[in-house]
């Protein structure tokens, strides 16, 4: 048994990198649904169907705990997965809550009533489906009061990253930041609400300027997962086995792109 990490494509490797660094003895199985990426332009029921199929594939690999390292899947499908679909002996976690806990200065799993927090103007950059779901605002409202969130649906950005077109990706980031600033001129914090975006974190930071705190989701998810596994040792499974990478896409192309992103050789096998 290992911990499953799921993403629609390559973006979840930013989360994989952070969790691997934080928990070097833990085994992980990474599954990228590259064949069906991007998810960010699909409707919620389609995202639910694709995500649950991939979670079942990770169960076949022996992963009783699966982390949806994909904001779109977490935003559009996780609530329904947790409430109606996942069996009692399995767990599926998402990437939104750790981020919001950090933004609102809460410790992991603190379910006390919503409080006033220091940060009042938050810019959210995410895929069109994540923005449409309003899941970020919903989870934030459970934990904080008086926070104004302005979202920017970053159309085209995931495709540019998946295609390795970093010149287009750079231009898109700058134009999406400009568009956000027209709606909210002085955000105090920015959330990169898509696992692909940390690959362009420096460009976001440059375009946003030094006064905006950019929250790095990958490290927060790693810290939260490590804490979760301490509290749920039955989910740890086999340790120190080799990590496995699976894709629904073309393993040769996906391995080459992943190697480029992680800056070390990564070999994907077919799903
Ligand atoms: N990487 C995913 C996310 O975090 C989705 C990208 C996509 O497939 O559109 O939202």
């Amino acid at each position: 048994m290992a911990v499953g990490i799921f993403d629609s494509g390559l973006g979840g490797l930013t989360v994989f990198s952070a969790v691997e660094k934080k928990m070097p003895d833990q085994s992980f199985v990474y599954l990228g649904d590259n064949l069906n990426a991007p998810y960010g332009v699909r409707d919620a029921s389609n995202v639910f169907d694709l995500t649950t199929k991939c979670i079942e594939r990770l169960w076949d690999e022996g992963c009783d705990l699966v982390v949806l390292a994909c904001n779109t899947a977490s935003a559009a499908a996780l609530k329904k997965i947790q409430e109606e679909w996942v069996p009692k002996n399995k767990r599926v976690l998402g990437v939104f809550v750790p981020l919001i806990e950090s933004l609102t200065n809460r410790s992991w799993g603190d379910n006390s009533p919503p409080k006033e927090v220091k940060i009042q103007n938050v810019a959210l950059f995410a895929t069109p489906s994540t923005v449409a779901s309003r899941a970020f605002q919903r989870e934030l409202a459970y934990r904080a009061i008086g926070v104004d969130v302005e979202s920017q649906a970053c159309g085209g950005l995931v495709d540019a990253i998946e295609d390795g077109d970093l010149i287009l990706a750079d231009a898109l980031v700058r134009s999406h930041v400009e568009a956000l600033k027209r709606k909210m001129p002085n955000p105090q914090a920015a959330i990169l609400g898509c696992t692909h975006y940390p690959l362009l974190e420096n460009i976001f930071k440059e375009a946003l300027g030094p006064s905006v705190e950019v929250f790095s989701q990958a490290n927060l998810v790693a810290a939260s997962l490590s804490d979760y596994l301490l509290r749920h040792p039955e989910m740890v499974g086999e340790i120190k086995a080799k990590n496995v990478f699976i894709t629904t896409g073309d393993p040769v192309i996906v391995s080459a792109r992943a190697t480029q992103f992680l800056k070390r050789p990564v070999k994907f096998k077919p799903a």
Side-chain angles (χ1 to χ4, degrees):
M1 190 170 84
V3 173
I5 311 273
F6 166 73
D7 186 53
S8 59
L10 295 169
L13 290 173
T14 56
V15 173
F16 168 79
S17 265
V19 294
E20 187 195 35
K21 203 162 149 204
K22 177 91 186 159
M23 291 164 276
D25 292 335
Q26 175 67 46
S27 311
F28 297 100
V29 180
Y30 183 92
L31 172 59
D33 192 8
N34 300 77
L35 182 68
N36 296 304
Y39 277 21
V41 288
R42 296 176 181 276
D43 67 29
S45 104
N46 191 206
V47 171
F48 177 87
D49 291 343
L50 292 171
T51 303
T52 47
K53 219 166 126 203
C54 289
I55 295 171
E56 281 169 343
R57 178 69 185 79
L58 283 165
W59 288 344
D60 293 343
E61 289 287 321
C63 303
D64 286 347
L65 169 62
V66 174
V67 178
L68 301 187
C70 175
N71 289 272
T72 305
S74 302
L78 182 62
K79 198 165 184 289
K80 188 165 170 199
I81 287 173
Q82 288 177 332
E83 287 175 2
E84 298 171 24
W85 184 80
V86 70
K88 274 203 168 59
N89 59 339
K90 315 269 192 219
R91 291 284 179 280
V92 180
L93 304 175
V95 284
F96 261 52
V97 170
L99 188 72
I100 291 172
E101 284 175 336
S102 163
L103 188 76
T104 55
N105 287 320
R106 285 175 177 247
S107 51
W108 316 126
D110 170 357
N111 288 324
S112 59
K115 306 181 193 56
E116 294 218 10
V117 292
K118 221 172 70 211
I119 292 176
Q120 275 155 2
N121 294 311
V122 178
L124 170 69
F125 297 93
T127 66
S129 308
T130 298
V131 169
S133 75
R134 297 187 62 80
F136 183 84
Q137 287 87 335
R138 182 190 69 223
E139 293 298 330
L140 186 64
Y142 289 138
R143 295 166 178 84
I145 39 181
V147 184
D148 190 13
V149 179
E150 195 60 68
S151 351
Q152 177 66 26
C154 298
L157 193 48
V158 168
D159 304 73
I161 296 170
E162 289 275 325
D163 293 345
D165 189 344
L166 297 183
I167 296 176
L168 174 60
D170 181 309
L172 285 170
V173 168
R174 292 177 199 281
S175 91
H176 286 305
V177 168
E178 274 314 304
L180 184 286
K181 280 190 164 174
R182 280 198 289 275
K183 298 180 277 185
M184 179 183 271
N186 296 307
Q188 292 163 288
I191 305 293
L192 305 188
C194 170
T195 48
H196 286 64
Y197 301 171
L199 295 163
L200 305 166
E201 188 167 332
N202 288 342
I203 304 167
F204 272 102
K205 281 187 171 156
E206 203 183 295
L208 283 160
S211 62
V212 183
E213 185 178 359
V214 176
F215 280 76
S216 158
Q217 192 173 40
N219 292 333
L220 296 170
V221 172
S224 154
L225 178 61
S226 148
D227 179 74
Y228 182 89
L229 290 174
L230 284 176
R231 287 183 286 119
H232 298 86
E234 73 284 3
M235 290 288 166
V236 169
E238 192 184 343
I239 55 168
K240 285 189 180 159
K242 219 166 142 263
N243 293 327
V244 175
F245 297 87
I246 304 171
T247 177
T248 57
D250 179 332
V252 176
I253 297 175
V254 173
S255 301
R257 292 262 154 77
T259 299
Q260 197 185 356
F261 284 154
L262 286 187
K263 299 186 174 65
R264 66 176 164 90
V266 185
K267 200 161 184 263
F268 275 76
K269 65 175 189 176

